Amino acid sequence: MGGNRLPTFLSERLPFYYGWIVLAGVCCAGFSRQGPAVATLSVFVEPMTGEFGWSRTAISGAVSLGGILAAFASPLIGPQLDRHGAKVILAAAVLVTGVAVTLLSTVQSLLAFYLLFCVARMNFAGPYDIGIYGAVNNWFVARRAQAASIATLAQMLGLVAMPLIAHAAILSGDWRNGWLAVGATVLVIGFVPNWLLMVRRPEDIGLDPDRPAGPAASGPAAPEPAFTRAAALRTPTFWLLSLFTFLVYPVQAGVSLHQAPYLIERGLDPTVAATVVSTFSAGSAVGSLVFGMGARRLGMRATLSLIALLMGAGTVVLLGVHGAPQAYAGGALYGLGIGGLVVALPVAWADCFGRRSYGAIRGVALSIQVTAQAIGPVLSGALRDWTGDYVLSLELFTALALSGAAVALLVRAPKP
């Protein structure tokens, strides 16, 4: 109980469920997570490749390598969530990410960039995801989708803010100022709430999921599945969700990273390109709320299929961009899909397999997800360097999104 003294003290005196305090800490972590997001890095692609002469493939490779490292780390981190909770995972992720991003302001070589960005990206893809949605899924069952949508909204707000913070700092100095500003934002917002207030599960301080102590907690808790990792791996649901993940996440990462340089190459002003990135992020925020609040009414299969269709539609609009209005429309559509994806997929995993071994199951699934994310940016960069533009990569991503929409319709909840 030693590490839970402050949470226990607060939970006994608060007039509402302590899970909302946990959710607030998760939101701070989610906002800080966006320091090494591909949308943030997108703002740095032009100035850094311009100064150092790096290819788009080279700078994209750092995103991919960081994802590969997370793919190896996630199955190891997941069981630690089940045993110890999200506190140490999230606090360490914020601290290491903030320091690494700040030090990006000092790089003079591609090797130094890779060392620092890969560490930050590994945290983004692995520990942050497991910690944020692990905490949400441990503390909420009946209200899981709503809580996850709030946590995702905070991340999307960070995704709106971080590129703008970076762009403003770059305009006031250079790209090195941009990394300093992003790193400081990560550290200031993300660390303290999670270190002081995070608790593994409501049962650790005498509470039930979704409900405060006392009369409000009367009545039986809603039943939920309780799969082990081994049992989950034996279900078709696990592999269909994994296939859906593998199809749509190259689209998520590949388009996100290269959208700003693509729009600049299409003749748009860099400031317009930066605000399109933020429009995409704002669309993601709206998508996270819409799909978080409506996912269970719509149903898991229809929700995931619609999300993939929105991603594909946004990519199609971006393919035809010749001016700012189309760019904003494509970014908004694509963002709606991404916001829905980020909130709905972790909820789908938790609803299908329960809280008992969520970390262990999600750790395996996340290795598939981050591998798919790693493929997207480097594939897009390589196709651009090969063909001279981004058209072929956007056509490929459209096909992957539509394939994901078809696979989603095959997903069924597993039988206990």
Side-chain angles (χ1 to χ4, degrees), residues 108-394:
Q108 299 290 342
S109 68
L110 186 61
L111 176 61
F113 174 77
Y114 263 66
L115 288 173
L116 292 169
F117 191 83
C118 284
V119 169
R121 187 66 190 174
M122 179 183 69
N123 279 328
F124 174 95
Y128 267 116
D129 194 287
I130 289 174
I132 288 170
Y133 291 104
V136 168
N137 292 328
N138 275 335
W139 278 83
F140 297 91
V141 176
R143 297 177 178 176
R144 179 175 288 151
Q146 293 91 331
S149 72
I150 295 170
T152 304
L153 175 62
Q155 294 179 73
M156 296 305 107
L157 292 176
L159 204 57
V160 172
M162 291 292 188
L164 294 179
I165 290 169
H167 184 65
I170 290 169
L171 289 179
S172 68
D174 60 14
W175 62 265
R176 298 183 188 275
N177 285 14
W179 285 123
L180 285 172
V182 171
T185 304
V186 170
L187 291 169
V188 168
I189 292 177
F191 182 76
V192 174
N194 287 284
W195 184 252
L196 290 180
L197 301 173
M198 184 62 65
V199 180
R200 185 179 69 105
R201 290 182 179 178
E203 291 88 346
D204 292 349
I205 55 174
L207 302 177
D208 293 321
D210 297 303
R211 300 180 296 181
S218 61
E224 58 174 323
F227 282 80
T228 64
R229 178 165 61 183
L233 288 169
R234 291 195 293 268
T235 66
T237 304
F238 180 93
W239 297 107
L240 284 170
L241 282 175
S242 296
L243 178 58
F244 172 81
T245 299
F246 194 77
L247 289 169
V248 298
Y249 265 96
V251 186
Q252 180 268 332
V255 177
S256 295
L257 175 61
H258 291 279
Q259 58 186 316
Y262 166 71
L263 293 172
I264 291 170
E265 288 184 0
R266 301 287 284 193
L268 275 68
D269 182 84
T271 299
V272 173
T275 55
V276 169
V277 173
S278 291
T279 300
F280 141 73
S281 305
S284 299
V286 174
S288 69
L289 281 178
V290 170
F291 285 101
M293 300 300 176
R296 283 179 170 164
R297 294 181 182 178
L298 189 58
M300 178 175 59
R301 287 180 294 155
T303 296
L304 294 178
S305 185
L306 179 57
I307 285 166
L309 288 173
L310 283 169
M311 293 170 64
T315 308
V316 168
V317 174
L318 288 173
L319 264 170
V321 161
H322 293 289
Q326 287 173 291
Y328 288 122
L333 271 175
Y334 173 71
L336 283 171
I338 295 299
L341 177 67
V342 173
V343 70
L345 194 55
V347 170
W349 285 107
D351 282 356
C352 287
F353 300 110
R355 295 188 302 151
R356 174 181 171 181
S357 299
Y358 174 84
I361 295 167
R362 183 65 175 149
V364 175
L366 198 58
S367 67
I368 297 169
Q369 176 178 311
V370 297
T371 299
Q373 285 179 303
I375 291 170
V378 73
L379 178 61
S380 184
L383 289 174
R384 187 270 176 196
D385 290 340
W386 179 45
T387 63
D389 59 41
Y390 286 103
V391 172
L392 181 58
S393 68
L394 289 174

Side-chain angles (χ1 to χ4, degrees), residues 19-99:
W20 299 113
I21 299 294
V22 170
L23 182 59
V26 163
C27 287
C28 291
F31 189 97
S32 76
R33 181 187 187 185
Q34 307 309 319
V38 287
T40 305
L41 178 60
S42 180
V43 177
F44 291 89
V45 170
E46 281 290 322
M48 292 187 76
T49 56
E51 178 171 330
F52 294 114
W54 302 338
S55 70
R56 302 296 169 85
T57 305
I59 201 166
S60 302
V63 178
S64 299
L65 181 56
I68 294 297
L69 294 174
F72 285 105
S74 296
L76 303 176
I77 296 170
Q80 302 308 311
L81 173 79
D82 298 326
R83 295 189 189 101
H84 306 296
K87 176 179 178 177
V88 174
I89 293 173
L90 287 178
V94 170
L95 186 60
V96 172
T97 298
V99 171

